[in-house]
């Protein structure tokens, strides 16, 4: 099963050029059972990345392009009167897929954004006091344009905390952009040529194997020390939550799993720490005035936090 993770990365690289680390982080989040927030300017391949994962991993895929007029019922579903039986019949919403792409989530109203909270946290939705389980595995990949872009609103803190990681695509290098153009000569579309590497059953097995990775007590102490350092950092008004500590542990397990180990070491924690913490940080006014980036603070926390001894 671990070999399949390498095959998945290599297959997606046929479409997404030069973004190996982002691909690995998203795959690790899926193995950890987490959700992904992709934040960047339009046109850098966020939607293409999500489609590539759906095709390569054999996932049932659904997408909603969020706008201010998208309703919560469009996401969770609604009850409709059946004229034949004269009873209320539940109509599934757009979220009932293995992989749900919430495109430009920060253009939706706050009510619609909050409709995803239960689905992301508990893998179910509740409509008219009835609970409906979502298919397994269930992954949300949400994209958003940078804060302040036309027509956008800030996602609420409770929503941000539900995402295991936040990643940014960024512009490709010159060589990678040339490669992207070359791959699309004569009307070719690399996305349509992707082959499924695994099945849903394979993914569930990989998720189970990832969850069983052994975490030493000293690594747990290190994770908690990082959380404590973030909560007491002079440039942060808010650091990592207990949910963040759980997400960091799960992501570290996934990193170790993809590195072909059965146990987690501090280097696994360091590798995923910025992606897990940065979107949960709240900068102080002083830090915002100095234009300090959350990534810089995350690196400084790693550098200044001692790893507990055996």
């Amino acid at each position: 099963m671990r070999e399949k993770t390498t095959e998945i990365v290599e297959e997606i690289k046929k479409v997404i050029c030069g973004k190996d680390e982002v691909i690995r982080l998203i795959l690790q989040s899926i193995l950890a059972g987490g959700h992904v927030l992709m934040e960047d300017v339009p046109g850098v391949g966020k939607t293409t990345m999500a489609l590539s994962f759906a095709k390569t991993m054999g996932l049932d895929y659904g997408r909603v392009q969020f706008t201010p007029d998208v309703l919560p019922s469009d996401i969770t579903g609604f009850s409709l009167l059946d004229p034949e039986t004269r009873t209320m019949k539940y109509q599934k919403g757009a979220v009932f897929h293995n992989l749900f792409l919430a495109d430009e989530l920060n253009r939706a109203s706050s009510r619609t954004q909050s409709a995803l909270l239960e689905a992301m946290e508990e893998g179910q939705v509740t409509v008219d006091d009835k609970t409906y389980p979502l298919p397994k595995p269930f992954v949300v990949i949400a994209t958003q344009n940078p804060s302040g872009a036309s027509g956008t609103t800030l996602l609420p803190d409770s929503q941000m905390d539900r995402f295991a990681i936040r990643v940014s695509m960024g512009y490709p290098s010159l060589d990678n952009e040339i490669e992207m153009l070359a791959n699309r000569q004569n009307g070719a579309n690399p996305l349509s040529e992707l082959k499924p590497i695994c099945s849903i059953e394979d993914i569930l097995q990989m998720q189970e194997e990832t969850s069983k990775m052994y975490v030493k007590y000293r690594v747990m102490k290190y994770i908690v020390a990082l959380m404590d350092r973030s909560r007491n950092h002079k440039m942060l008004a808010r650091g990592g939550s207990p949910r963040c500590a759980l997400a960091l542990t799960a992501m570290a397990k996934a990193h170790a799993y993809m590195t072909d180990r059965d146990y987690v070491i501090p280097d696994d924690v360091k590798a995923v720490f910025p992606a897990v913490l940065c979107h949960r940080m709240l900068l102080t006014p002083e830090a915002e005035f100095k234009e300090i980036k959350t990534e810089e603070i995350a690196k400084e926390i790693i550098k200044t936090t001692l790893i507990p001894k055996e």
Side-chain angles (χ1 to χ4, degrees), residues 148-296:
S150 177
T152 62
T153 58
L154 288 173
L155 292 178
D157 296 340
S158 57
Q159 184 105 43
M160 295 289 280
D161 205 28
R162 259 68 174 189
F163 290 104
I165 60 170
R166 181 185 67 182
V167 294
S168 178
M169 295 286 288
Y171 290 115
S173 67
L174 296 181
D175 290 340
N176 288 328
E177 196 158 7
I178 292 171
E179 182 183 355
M180 178 192 72
L181 297 178
N183 290 341
R184 287 161 174 78
Q185 289 279 54
N186 302 318
N189 182 8
L191 191 61
S192 63
E193 298 174 5
L194 289 178
K195 299 176 182 178
I197 301 298
C198 59
S199 64
I200 288 177
E201 290 73 21
D202 293 334
I203 297 170
L204 292 173
Q205 184 177 339
M206 287 189 286
Q207 287 182 336
E208 183 179 358
E209 291 175 356
T210 300
S211 68
K212 293 179 179 178
M213 298 289 287
Y214 179 66
V215 184
K216 291 184 178 181
Y217 182 71
R218 67 185 289 257
V219 177
M220 294 181 189
K221 286 183 67 176
Y222 181 52
I223 290 171
V224 173
L226 289 169
M227 293 298 102
D228 183 65
R229 181 80 178 87
S230 72
R231 294 164 190 164
N232 295 287
H233 197 282
K234 64 180 181 180
M235 290 297 176
L236 294 178
R238 184 180 64 237
S241 65
R243 186 186 284 115
C244 178
L246 292 171
L248 182 57
T249 304
M251 283 293 295
K253 287 181 177 182
H255 187 275
Y257 183 81
M258 289 183 62
T259 316
D260 202 20
R261 264 187 280 100
D262 294 324
Y263 55 92
V264 178
I265 62 175
D267 284 348
D268 296 317
V269 178
K270 292 179 182 180
V272 299
F273 181 70
V276 174
L277 182 69
C278 285
H279 63 290
R280 294 175 163 94
M281 291 180 181
L282 181 63
L283 296 173
T284 63
E286 179 185 356
E288 290 181 353
F289 177 76
K290 293 181 177 179
E291 297 184 348
I292 296 175
K293 296 182 179 179
T294 53
E295 290 79 7
E296 296 173 2

Side-chain angles (χ1 to χ4, degrees), residues 80-95:
L80 188 67
L81 180 65
D82 188 333
E84 295 183 0
T85 62
R86 307 301 298 174
T87 58
M88 299 301 289
K89 187 176 181 180
Y90 176 65
Q91 305 292 318
K92 290 184 177 180
V95 78

Side-chain angles (χ1 to χ4, degrees), residues 68-82:
D69 57 352
V70 174
L71 299 174
S73 58
D74 295 330
I75 309 303
T76 60
F78 55 91
S79 297
L80 188 67
L81 180 65
D82 188 333

Side-chain angles (χ1 to χ4, degrees), residues 66-77 105-119 126 153-156 158-159:
F66 280 84
T67 58
D69 57 352
V70 174
L71 299 174
S73 58
D74 295 330
I75 309 303
T76 60
L105 180 59
N106 61 339
R107 291 189 184 276
S109 67
S110 56
R111 285 186 62 198
T112 303
Q113 290 172 1
S114 64
L116 270 177
L117 285 178
E118 182 186 8
T126 302
T153 58
L154 288 173
L155 292 178
S158 57
Q159 184 105 43

